[in-house]
Amino acid sequence: MSGGFGERARAAVRRIVGDGFSGAKASGRGEAPANVALVKYWGKRDEELKLPVTGSLSISLGPLGTKTELARAPDGTSADEIWLNGRPVGGGEGFARRLTAFLDLFRPADGFRYVVRTANNVPTAAGLASSASGFAALVRALDDFWGWGLDAERLSVLARLGSGSAARSLEHGFVEWLRGAREDGEDSVGRKVAEAWAGLRIGAVVADAGEKPVGSGEGMCRTAGTSCAYAGWPARVEADLAAVKEAIAAQDLAALGAVAEANALAMHGTMWAARPPLVYQLPETLAAMRQVWAARAEGVGVWLTMDAGPNVKLLFDARDEGAVHEAFGGKLTVVRP
Ligand code: PMV
């Protein structure tokens, strides 16, 4: 998980911000979109720097994401003061511990504490919220507060240290997170591939909005370490990345949807074969999956993807929105990316 950064993460931050911890503004602000991976990130080659085994590619969720404001806490404050959606978060909570460990990388002096106010506008029940937009918005707020003026790729290196998928949340549209080859992670950055095209829609069907039992960090570590189905995953991803980029360039939703759906199912296949197994699907998840396939058999252009949780995300064209609503009723949230 994200806690307990060591010297290599501190060095990665220093390489980017140098000694840029003077002349702070009174407060800094940042915002960032959530993203849904179309070709998934599942497995790290470096735990501390969160360097991935493969590249990945996502679509950002337009207006849905996180807004964050930060300021310096008064001298003598013993801990960062963290607010989430207007409510104070206790220092013992996982959310605060993870944020504080990350902020430890950005303190000009030992006793320096932050006040962080962060808010997600992703409907919490939609199953689309994630740590990605949170860390991306936080590094944008830090950049504003300290006046670094870093570009999106440099910021993505910082955001990645908080959560891997956050490297894809510094830009709108289609974003690739490059695997990179360097040991220090300097070349493992988020890079915009294309704008989202006008008719594209992302849907979310909620099976369960509660907290997942096994987080993505632990899940990918267990899968890479124990699943006999993992060996074929990296080559699969490389091929899927090439196919998805072609589909994006051609604005070909059927090709994009087919690869994204197959890629997500392949990822979940690696999880099912982990020991002990990782099965995020609930009965409601499987029902939604079958619903997608039934709708498609009837000519509706809709494809599914799933992350480390039970909710099903959909890809479709705006002209099919009525049919998709009909299939999923009140459980569906639709986003224009
Ligand atoms: O960066 P994390 O720890 O939130 O991992 C994300 C893992 C998946 O959502 C399953 C896939 C992805 O690429 O977003």
Side-chain angles (χ1 to χ4, degrees):
M1 299 305 286
S2 180
F5 290 106
E7 192 40 50
R8 295 175 58 242
R10 282 192 287 277
V13 170
R14 263 197 315 274
R15 271 194 301 277
I16 289 180
V17 308
D19 47 10
F21 291 107
S22 56
K25 299 186 359 187
S27 68
R29 284 165 199 269
E31 59 184 286
N35 76 72
V36 171
L38 303 173
V39 178
K40 307 293 185 186
Y41 148 57
W42 197 247
K44 295 182 188 67
R45 64 178 205 274
D46 184 311
E47 285 288 329
E48 181 177 354
L49 300 181
K50 297 192 178 64
L51 299 178
V53 171
T54 67
S56 57
L57 193 147
S58 59
I59 177 83
S60 289
L61 294 184
L64 297 190
T66 305
K67 280 190 184 174
T68 296
E69 192 178 326
L70 62 79
R72 180 179 187 166
D75 281 339
T77 307
S78 62
D80 298 318
E81 187 184 311
I82 296 167
W83 297 72
L84 174 61
N85 297 333
R87 297 222 306 270
V89 183
E93 292 180 44
F95 181 83
R97 283 206 306 271
R98 196 167 170 193
L99 223 67
T100 294
F102 182 72
L103 288 170
D104 283 347
L105 295 168
F106 302 94
R107 297 188 205 282
D110 272 354
F112 188 103
R113 297 285 176 262
Y114 289 97
V115 180
V116 182
R117 290 174 194 277
T118 188
N120 297 318
N121 71 347
V122 185
T124 30
L128 288 167
S130 76
S131 53
S133 59
F135 281 105
L138 182 58
V139 300
R140 282 212 179 278
L142 283 162
D143 181 69
D144 183 39
F145 180 69
W146 292 110
W148 298 323
L150 296 169
D151 65 19
E153 287 196 10
R154 301 286 79 204
L155 290 173
S156 77
V157 172
L158 302 179
R160 161 170 48 77
L161 298 171
S163 171
S165 55
R168 300 187 307 244
S169 270
L170 279 309
E171 299 267 23
H172 287 273
F174 293 100
V175 181
E176 182 175 10
W177 171 17
L178 304 176
R179 176 195 190 275
R182 290 173 59 122
E183 278 184 20
D184 62 13
E186 289 267 300
D187 56 354
S188 186
V189 299
R191 182 168 294 168
K192 183 163 185 153
V193 170
E195 295 294 346
W197 62 78
L200 186 63
R201 294 291 179 273
I202 305 293
V205 182
V206 175
D208 180 45
E211 193 148 320
K212 51 199 175 197
V214 180
S216 49
E218 184 190 334
M220 63 180 78
C221 185
R222 184 194 301 175
T223 307
T226 68
S227 172
C228 66
Y230 192 76
W233 172 248
R236 182 69 262 161
V237 171
E238 291 312 321
D240 288 348
L241 276 173
V244 144
K245 283 192 263 187
E246 248 176 61
I248 291 169
Q251 302 201 353
D252 181 342
L253 177 63
L256 181 70
V259 177
E261 182 172 304
N263 181 268
L265 291 169
M267 175 181 73
H268 281 277
T270 69
M271 300 182 194
W272 281 48
R275 299 187 180 196
L278 263 173
V279 178
Y280 286 104
Q281 286 76 15
L282 297 172
E284 294 81 354
T285 316
L286 289 167
M289 292 165 68
R290 291 194 170 280
Q291 194 91 52
V292 169
W293 296 328
R296 210 154 72 222
E298 290 185 359
V300 183
V302 57
W303 290 265
L304 68 87
T305 182
M306 295 176 290
D307 292 303
N311 304 316
V312 177
K313 291 139 194 186
L314 309 177
L315 274 123
F316 56 95
D317 189 275
R319 67 171 174 267
D320 285 320
E321 193 165 330
V324 175
H325 266 296
E326 214 164 279
F328 293 98
K331 285 181 280 183
L332 178 71
T333 304
V334 177
V335 188
R336 181 181 176 163

